[in-house]
Amino acid sequence: MWMPQLDELLAGARVVALPMATRFRGVTEREALLFEGPEGWSEFSPFVEYGDAEAAAWLAAAVDFAWREQPAPVRDSVPVNATVPAVPAAEVPAVLARYDGCRTAKVKVAETGQTLADDVARVHAVRAAMGPEGRVRIDANGGWNVDEAERAVHALADADLEYVEQPCASVDELAELRRRIVRWDIPIAADESVRKAEDPLAVARAGAADIIIVKAQPLGGVRRALEIVAEAGLPAVVSSALDTSVGLAMGTALAAALPELDHDCGLGTASLFVRDVATPALRPTAGALPVGRVSPDPAALDDLAASPDRTAWWLARLERCHAVLAG
């Protein structure tokens, strides 16, 4: 793919570290690298444990968003879900209070060091808070084997789940679980089996999921994600990769361009931060986000600047990923 010169990216790159309100994915700070192109600001923020080959797709997405006009939107706002980390059940109401008007909640389960009883208590607390009209989905991030997932789905069947996201790690396991729980009519959604797979369409061909989760950065950008959705032929939910408000704007561009959007999207995650790079942050109002680009607040960029050593780490990573794409 075409790439701007590395110097163009490095010249205005800013590395930030956003404090989180609750530990999420094992971290209390979310680091991201931001830069500006002809079309506006963009974000490069692959998780720190990812290797350069995988992280390069995130850079491709960031460059595409900053340098190219995006596909035309078919809607001007995107309904989003609340995200509930693996907190104790008693903390659920406080978490949900950060999501104005959201009618859907995604609940993290299968957290290392926790039990199924912890998950059941948390999910039931969310269901009680959302009421019978609310929608509740769970996300295991591939943390269960097939037997564990089947037991968990059975234990949570009375919570009226909208769907179960990535209950198991492999496509074969997802397909087996889908066969086992078909009588309960609880859909399975695939996330990691799409965004981390060499072949993101394998899950659809195997009949292993009813829904696919798509994320703009990991999939290489809005255009590539739209192609994957079209080729998969399954309903899609657009979600974030714990982006800043700048990166969330890429997610809303993807959600806005989908021909069909049957489910609330996982793009309300700015509410997980104590402070964001935009003022105001791109947080849900009446359960939705506006569609449009976001520019960071210069004062916030300064206040949230990462330490010199972390900034150097991210700039070196940017250089390596640029070489992967340019080579």
Side-chain angles (χ1 to χ4, degrees):
M1 63 169 289
W2 174 87
M3 288 290 291
Q5 294 296 311
L6 178 62
D7 288 348
E8 293 182 74
L9 299 179
L10 292 173
R14 302 292 300 270
V15 181
V16 294
L18 276 57
M20 305 198 62
T22 304
R23 178 181 291 272
F24 192 79
R25 292 189 88 257
V27 301
T28 55
E29 273 191 337
R30 175 66 166 127
E31 295 179 341
L33 186 152
L34 309 178
F35 54 74
E36 187 176 14
E39 293 293 326
W41 283 86
S42 193
E43 176 173 335
F44 170 62
S45 56
F47 296 114
V48 295
E49 66 269 23
Y50 290 1
D52 293 344
E54 184 173 359
W58 299 58
L59 181 57
V63 167
D64 183 86
F65 194 61
W67 260 262
R68 298 179 66 189
E69 185 177 356
Q70 296 301 292
V74 298
R75 57 188 63 84
D76 58 13
S77 68
V78 175
V80 298
N81 64 255
T83 298
V84 180
V87 298
E91 296 180 18
V92 163
V95 172
L96 292 176
R98 297 200 290 267
Y99 296 86
D100 180 66
C102 291
R103 61 184 182 176
T104 302
K106 179 168 80 171
V107 189
K108 291 293 183 178
V109 294
E111 182 85 352
T112 301
Q114 295 190 6
T115 67
L116 179 56
D118 296 321
D119 293 336
V120 170
R122 184 182 314 111
V123 172
H124 283 170
V126 172
R127 168 52 68 200
M130 298 293 292
E133 300 301 319
R135 301 171 186 173
V136 179
R137 55 185 69 155
I138 61 172
D139 181 8
N141 292 113
W144 292 319
N145 62 36
V146 177
D147 290 338
E148 289 170 334
E150 184 178 14
R151 284 195 296 272
V153 170
H154 184 266
L156 292 167
D158 61 348
D160 188 23
L161 298 178
E162 181 185 24
Y163 61 72
V164 179
E165 182 175 331
Q166 201 68 45
C168 306
S170 73
V171 171
D172 288 344
E173 287 175 314
L174 292 181
E176 171 63 21
L177 178 65
R178 190 164 177 252
R179 287 191 290 270
R180 290 191 191 186
I181 68 172
V182 64
R183 64 187 181 279
W184 291 327
D185 194 29
I186 298 175
I188 290 177
D191 176 9
E192 286 87 348
S193 292
V194 176
R195 65 179 169 89
K196 293 179 71 68
E198 290 186 12
D199 179 3
L201 297 174
V203 70
R205 284 197 296 270
D210 306 278
I211 298 163
I212 58 171
I213 309 297
V214 289
K215 300 179 178 180
Q217 277 203 80
L219 293 178
V222 171
R223 288 175 180 78
R224 179 56 184 146
L226 289 172
E227 292 171 358
I228 289 170
V229 173
E231 293 171 22
L234 294 173
V237 176
V238 180
S239 195
S240 95
L242 204 56
D243 312 272
T244 75
S245 288
V246 171
L248 289 173
M250 192 191 309
T252 62
L254 169 56
L258 283 172
E260 304 291 336
L261 194 64
D262 299 326
H263 302 274
D264 293 347
C265 291
L267 296 171
T269 49
S271 294
L272 294 171
F273 300 130
V274 175
R275 188 178 177 192
D276 203 345
V277 294
T279 306
L282 191 60
R283 294 181 179 178
T285 300
L289 296 179
V291 175
R293 290 181 177 271
V294 170
S295 296
D297 176 356
L301 288 178
D302 291 338
D303 292 346
L304 296 168
S307 65
D309 62 318
R310 293 306 299 163
T311 296
W313 186 90
W314 275 94
L315 294 178
R317 189 186 206 189
L318 174 65
E319 183 172 358
R320 296 194 308 271
C321 291
H322 184 276
V324 170
L325 295 174

